[in-house]
């Protein structure tokens, strides 16, 4: 199995919980939830059972009516699955639990019974339709699982030293040097092209061509689109339409979401639920405008002004290139090579920005940006400026900007600190060059987003 960071968090849950709670792994389809859950069961327990509610029989489902009689419930379960489990040394996995909400509600009684540990996995699990008729158990803890980050991608290729070197350079505030920086940047570009979906990463590690990897990613995009159409009947498939426009939206000035791209008559109030649906599904990352750059960012969120990033940058690359090349043409392989070396005639800035948004979400940050007007000294009028991302570090606001090429100009940063008398932890420009600091601004390579 590909090494995943979430595995250590599962071990921590087992030790701390000691059977007093169940754990729900929530994430988009194909990020590896089921794989890591079963690997965890194999390694950390004497035995386990998987109940996959995409495949389980009616007899298994009907057996949940026996929860008031735990001895009967477990007797029937073991007969139907053809095995029993040693008490307090076994795990029961509820896979794709969103397809059978009654099993999620049953966690309250199963945890109280105390015989076994319980791990749930689910996609679209927080969508209101999946929970509207059940009581969410207080005995359930949640953890989110994302696509593989850059460090996990390096691990997949057998590289266990580069990520530590990146962290050391960030913490010591020293450049890595031209040769090492170029080497890591090339690997990072490869990660952006491949993405972090485990199936695509495994294909890359196994030596698949870019055409083969792209075909895998197209299959995942089609799966997402089908899911959105299937589960978004209440909003008349608006979420699916929004999802398809994300590459075009990110090409807009400052990547702001424009309703006219969806429909010339579209309005926020008619699509707000569809945007929330996409965000809850974890296949996109929503970035919200804040009207004031205060530490309590959410208190100033203006949700009518937002950006949508793809949850996985590799999927964005494939979505961008749809219709741009024929996967059956041998020369199409050169398009991916051009992308890796920055020679493809597409907006690479949006790919870089998406990758930073993805890294911040993986590090536990909610995504916010900020727009402001400022009249610079000596100017006769106010101009409009924007900070790409605002995060909070060490209880202070930390502004971030992403630049794919030119980085010398940073007027928005300069005027930001002049306009707002707030304590700023640091100001970071993420770009393609090595670590550099000037004028009170820290310029870090894109791959150091993992350190923020």
């Amino acid at each position: 199995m590909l090494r995943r960071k979430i595995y250590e968090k599962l071990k921590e849950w087992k030790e701390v919980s000691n059977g007093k709670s169940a754990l729900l792994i929530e994430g988009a389809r194909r990020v590896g939830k089921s794989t890591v859950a079963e690997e965890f069961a194999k390694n950390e327990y004497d035995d386990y059972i998987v109940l996959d509610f995409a495949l389980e029989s009616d007899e298994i489902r009907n057996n949940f009516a026996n929860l008031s009689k735990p001895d009967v419930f477990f007797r029937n379960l073991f007969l139907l699955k053809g095995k029993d489990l040693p008490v307090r040394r076994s795990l029961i996995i509820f896979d794709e639990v969103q397809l059978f909400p009654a099993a999620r509600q049953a966690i309250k009684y199963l945890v109280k019974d105390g015989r076994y540990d319980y791990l749930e996995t689910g996609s679209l699990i927080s969508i209101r339709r999946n929970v509207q008729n059940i009581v969410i158990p207080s005995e359930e803890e949640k953890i989110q699982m994302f696509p593989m980050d850059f460090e996990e991608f390096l691990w997949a290729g057998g590289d266990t030293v580069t990520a530590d070197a990146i962290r050391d350079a960030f913490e010591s505030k020293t450049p890595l040097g031209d040769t090492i920086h170029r080497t890591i940047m090339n690997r990072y570009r490869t990660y952006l092209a491949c993405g972090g979906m485990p199936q695509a990463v495994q294909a890359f590690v196994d030596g698949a061509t870019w055409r083969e990897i792209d075909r895998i990613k197209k299959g995942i995009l089609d799966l997402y689109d089908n899911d959105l159409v299937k589960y978004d009947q209440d909003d008349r498939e608006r979420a699916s339409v929004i999802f398809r426009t994300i590459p075009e939206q990110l090409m807009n000035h400052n990547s702001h979401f424009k309703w006219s791209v969806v429909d010339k008559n579209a309005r926020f109030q008619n699509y707000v639920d569809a945007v929330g649906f996409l965000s809850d599904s974890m296949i996109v990352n929503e970035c919200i405008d804040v009207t004031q750059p205060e530490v309590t960012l959410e208190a100033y969120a203006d949700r009518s002004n937002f950006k949508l990033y793809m949850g996985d940058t590799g999927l964005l690359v494939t979505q961008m290139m749809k219709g741009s090349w024929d996967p059956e043409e041998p020369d199409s392989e050169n398009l991916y090579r051009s992308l890796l070396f920055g020679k493809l005639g597409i907006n690479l800035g949006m790919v870089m920005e998406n990758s930073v948004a993805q890294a911040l979400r993986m590090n536990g940050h909610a995504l916010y940006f900020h727009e402001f007007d400022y009249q610079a000294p000596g100017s006769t009028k106010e101009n409009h400026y924007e900070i790409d991302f605002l995060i909070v570090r060490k209880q202070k606001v930390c502004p971030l900007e992403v630049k794919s090429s030119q980085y010398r100009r940073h007027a928005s940063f300069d005027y930001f600190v002049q306009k707002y008398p707030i304590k700023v932890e640091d100001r970071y420009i993420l770009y393609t060059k090595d670590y550099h600091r000037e004028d009170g601004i820290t310029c870090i390579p894109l791959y150091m987003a993992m350190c923020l």
Side-chain angles (χ1 to χ4, degrees), residues 307-319:
K307 308 175 189 180
L308 288 181
Y309 298 101
M310 287 288 290
D312 178 72
T313 304
L315 293 183
L316 172 65
V317 169
T318 292
Q319 202 175 31

Side-chain angles (χ1 to χ4, degrees), residues 24-225:
L24 168 64
I25 305 175
E26 185 178 15
R29 295 277 294 274
R30 298 293 179 86
V31 297
K33 302 182 301 297
S34 301
T35 302
V36 76
E38 191 159 0
E39 189 72 12
F40 175 67
K42 289 177 183 176
N43 296 338
E44 308 300 331
Y45 290 87
D46 289 357
D47 207 349
Y48 69 98
I49 284 177
V50 177
L51 301 183
D52 183 348
F53 291 110
L55 303 172
E56 292 299 342
S57 65
D58 289 339
E59 288 81 6
I60 290 287
R61 293 168 180 256
N62 293 337
N63 186 43
F64 280 82
N66 293 313
L67 279 173
S68 60
K69 299 171 284 187
D71 290 341
V72 175
F73 173 81
F74 287 112
R75 180 198 67 197
N76 293 349
L77 176 64
F78 296 154
L79 283 170
L80 291 167
K81 300 303 289 187
K83 67 184 296 187
D84 62 1
L85 299 175
V87 173
R88 292 306 318 139
R89 304 198 310 276
S90 304
L91 179 70
I92 297 178
I93 300 172
F94 290 173
D95 200 17
E96 301 288 2
V97 73
Q98 79 278 359
L99 299 176
F100 189 52
R104 189 178 180 193
Q105 183 169 266
I107 287 297
K108 176 181 181 65
Y109 308 99
L110 295 171
V111 168
K112 183 179 180 180
D113 175 75
R115 301 182 207 195
Y116 308 105
D117 286 358
Y118 298 90
L119 193 60
E120 308 164 82
T121 74
S123 306
L124 302 175
I125 196 68
S126 59
I127 305 304
R128 289 185 294 273
R129 187 182 297 105
N130 290 327
V131 298
Q132 61 184 357
N133 296 320
I134 69 169
V135 177
I136 303 299
S138 59
E139 295 79 5
E140 177 188 272
E141 298 181 40
K142 287 184 184 179
I143 187 171
Q144 291 186 323
M145 187 172 185
F146 297 95
M148 298 174 70
D149 65 16
F150 182 46
E151 183 171 17
E152 290 171 321
F153 178 79
L154 293 170
W155 289 345
D159 181 350
T160 58
V161 299
T162 295
D164 288 338
I166 292 170
R167 275 189 287 267
D168 288 345
F170 179 81
E171 292 168 4
S172 64
K173 301 180 180 181
T174 56
L176 284 155
D178 288 345
T179 301
I180 294 176
H181 166 71
R182 281 196 301 269
T183 300
I184 298 176
M185 198 63 213
N186 287 338
R187 291 175 186 170
Y188 188 72
R189 285 181 181 274
T190 303
Y191 166 64
L192 298 186
C194 178
M197 304 306 286
Q199 188 180 358
V201 174
Q202 189 64 63
F204 174 79
V205 171
D206 292 341
T209 65
W210 283 113
R211 282 189 293 162
E212 292 167 338
I213 294 169
D214 196 74
R215 186 175 286 110
I216 290 170
K217 293 191 290 175
K218 281 183 177 176
I220 295 172
L221 286 170
D222 289 342
L223 179 70
Y224 285 174
D225 197 50

